[in-house]
Amino acid sequence: MTNKIKIYLTALAIVSNSWLFCSHCLPVLAQPTTGTTAAAPTKAAAPTVAVDTVPSSGEGQSIYQPSLPVESGNLLNEVKNPRLALILAGGGARGAAHIGVLKVFEREKIHVDFLVGSSVGALVGSLYCAGVPATDIEELVLSNQLKKAFYPIPFKLKAALGVPPYMLKRLIFLKPPIGLYSGNSIARFIERNLPPGIEKIEQLKTPFAALTVNLGDTRPVWLDKGNIAKAVQASCSVPLLYRPVVTDGKLFVDGGLRNNLPTEPATAVGAQIVVAVKLHSFLKGNDKSKFNTFSSYGDQLIGILMAEIEDKPAGQADISIEPNADKLNLHNFNRADLIEAIRSGEEAAEKALPAIRARIRASH
């Protein structure tokens, strides 16, 4: 009996890891190639909502819509020509490196006038824009609270408990929600850690936008108004791993599905200096023993694809900060590795300081 249980749990773990791998890889593989993307807007130009493209094979709407995001609020009118815009990429646990960057910015008194984040970049960025010090965000990450926000129940246990009932319901023609986790724990994490009295994006001390994707029309959307916690949850809702967030009758999913390093909002509002923080710049090396599990193997593939995806929007930034967070995969919340990732963010930001200061001086 014990052996049967072991075989059952092993099979579930394989299925679960495959699910997790697909939930990250399939959105990335759906990214448009360089040859098919719309031309990037110049810094001086404000975007307009592009008309739907039509498939060359016939009438109807193309599933690929222009990459220019649609704003959800009044961002283009309220944020004009900010001096410094900071762009924080998505990348799961690697997002700890963002904290190191923000610590350097605080220490050096580099003021951020506008911040845009995708996925974990939106999570870290929203707290920072609310006035939460970088050291306090660091403590939240190192105290395991962030891990519990993403995985309130350990992944393998959740898969073992959740996948069989889901499959059974499908077999009897029921339609349970798609997504291993609801994602509500992410929203609760944000709600608990926002300063008192701050609930809406419009109340944040620093203008902020979270990038997400409208699953219905496939357009990227800047969430720049409304509930902060729900905006962050939507931006972090990795397909299949988390359920889509329903807002105003629309389904929103992880912003990395279309753009993991969203520089467009910064160029659209005419930011004088655009600083982008990438999370997929360094490879893990050639040690084949590092790729002997679904998680590590999948993470390496995702890293390769994400590095390619981040490269183009990084070219629209004036300065790129590239922490070496290669020891962390998307789901590794090991404290020692998180500390190293934060340190790598600090080191990368310190290397970029001369260029940032020169740009700031030139903008006066």
Side-chain angles (χ1 to χ4, degrees):
M1 183 68 180
T2 304
N3 288 334
K4 288 184 178 180
I5 293 174
K6 287 181 178 179
I7 292 170
Y8 172 72
L9 291 176
T10 301
L12 278 175
I14 291 172
V15 171
S16 303
N17 277 305
S18 300
W19 183 343
L20 183 59
F21 170 68
C22 290
S23 74
H24 283 284
C25 278
L26 291 180
V28 174
L29 291 170
Q31 290 279 348
T33 60
T34 303
T36 59
T37 52
T42 60
K43 278 192 177 184
T48 56
V49 177
V51 296
D52 294 338
T53 56
V54 178
S56 59
S57 58
E59 296 182 357
Q61 290 186 340
S62 169
I63 195 170
Y64 169 64
Q65 296 297 320
S67 62
L68 194 63
V70 178
E71 60 170 335
S72 64
N74 201 30
L75 182 71
L76 295 176
N77 291 327
E78 294 178 358
V79 181
K80 292 184 177 180
N81 304 115
R83 175 177 292 171
L84 191 148
L86 181 63
I87 316 300
L88 302 182
R94 286 192 182 97
H98 291 321
I99 298 169
V101 173
L102 294 173
K103 286 174 69 176
V104 171
F105 275 44
E106 281 187 350
R107 186 190 72 210
E108 301 297 326
K109 295 182 171 52
I110 295 173
H111 182 70
V112 176
D113 301 292
F114 178 42
L115 193 148
V116 187
S118 179
S119 199
V120 72
L123 186 149
V124 172
S126 67
L127 294 176
Y128 188 73
C129 289
V132 179
T135 51
D136 289 0
I137 303 174
E138 179 180 30
E139 181 56 33
L140 293 174
V141 171
L142 297 181
S143 64
N144 227 28
Q145 292 188 53
L146 182 61
K147 179 181 179 180
K148 290 179 180 178
F150 282 116
Y151 303 103
I153 298 174
F155 174 75
K156 290 183 180 180
L157 177 60
K158 179 66 174 177
L161 296 174
V163 172
Y166 176 86
M167 300 302 293
L168 179 61
K169 290 177 182 178
R170 296 296 297 180
L171 286 173
I172 59 175
F173 304 105
L174 296 178
K175 294 182 179 180
I178 295 177
L180 194 59
Y181 296 91
S182 70
N184 292 331
S185 55
I186 297 172
R188 289 195 293 270
F189 171 82
I190 294 295
E191 290 170 346
R192 285 196 308 269
N193 294 295
L194 286 172
I198 297 181
E199 296 179 359
K200 295 183 178 296
I201 293 176
E202 299 92 318
Q203 298 172 315
L204 292 172
K205 296 180 178 180
T206 300
F208 168 79
L211 189 77
T212 186
V213 173
N214 182 342
L215 193 60
D217 65 12
T218 78
R219 292 186 185 279
V221 179
W222 309 336
L223 296 179
D224 58 337
K225 70 172 183 178
N227 186 273
I228 302 166
K230 280 298 178 184
V232 170
Q233 180 184 345
S235 189
C236 292
S237 291
V238 176
L240 301 182
L241 188 59
Y242 302 103
R243 295 170 195 163
V245 172
V246 182
T247 302
D248 297 329
K250 299 173 182 177
L251 294 176
F252 291 111
V253 294
D254 193 300
L257 189 64
R258 289 298 301 268
N259 191 342
N260 201 51
L261 190 68
T263 54
E264 290 98 335
T267 58
V269 298
Q272 299 174 48
I273 308 165
V274 179
V275 179
V277 185
K278 300 172 64 177
L279 293 179
H280 297 88
S281 295
F282 293 87
L283 292 176
K284 295 176 180 295
N286 296 315
D287 184 356
K288 65 180 181 180
S289 66
K290 293 181 179 180
F291 312 127
N292 58 3
T293 67
F294 275 98
S295 179
S296 59
Y297 179 70
D299 187 72
Q300 177 74 345
L301 296 181
I302 293 167
I304 294 168
L305 295 168
M306 282 293 185
E308 180 73 17
I309 291 163
E310 288 180 355
D311 190 58
K312 182 179 178 181
Q316 298 178 4
D318 298 300
I319 298 165
S320 289
I321 296 177
E322 302 182 1
N324 187 348
D326 67 313
K327 287 191 176 180
L328 282 175
N329 60 33
L330 293 167
H331 317 285
N332 173 17
F333 288 88
N334 176 276
R335 181 182 171 87
D337 292 336
L338 289 169
I339 290 172
E340 188 166 338
I342 293 170
R343 187 181 300 116
S344 74
E346 292 182 66
E347 292 172 353
E350 286 167 353
K351 289 180 181 177
L353 278 177
I356 294 173
R357 289 195 180 109
R359 287 277 185 174
I360 291 174
R361 284 195 299 269
S363 69
H364 282 294

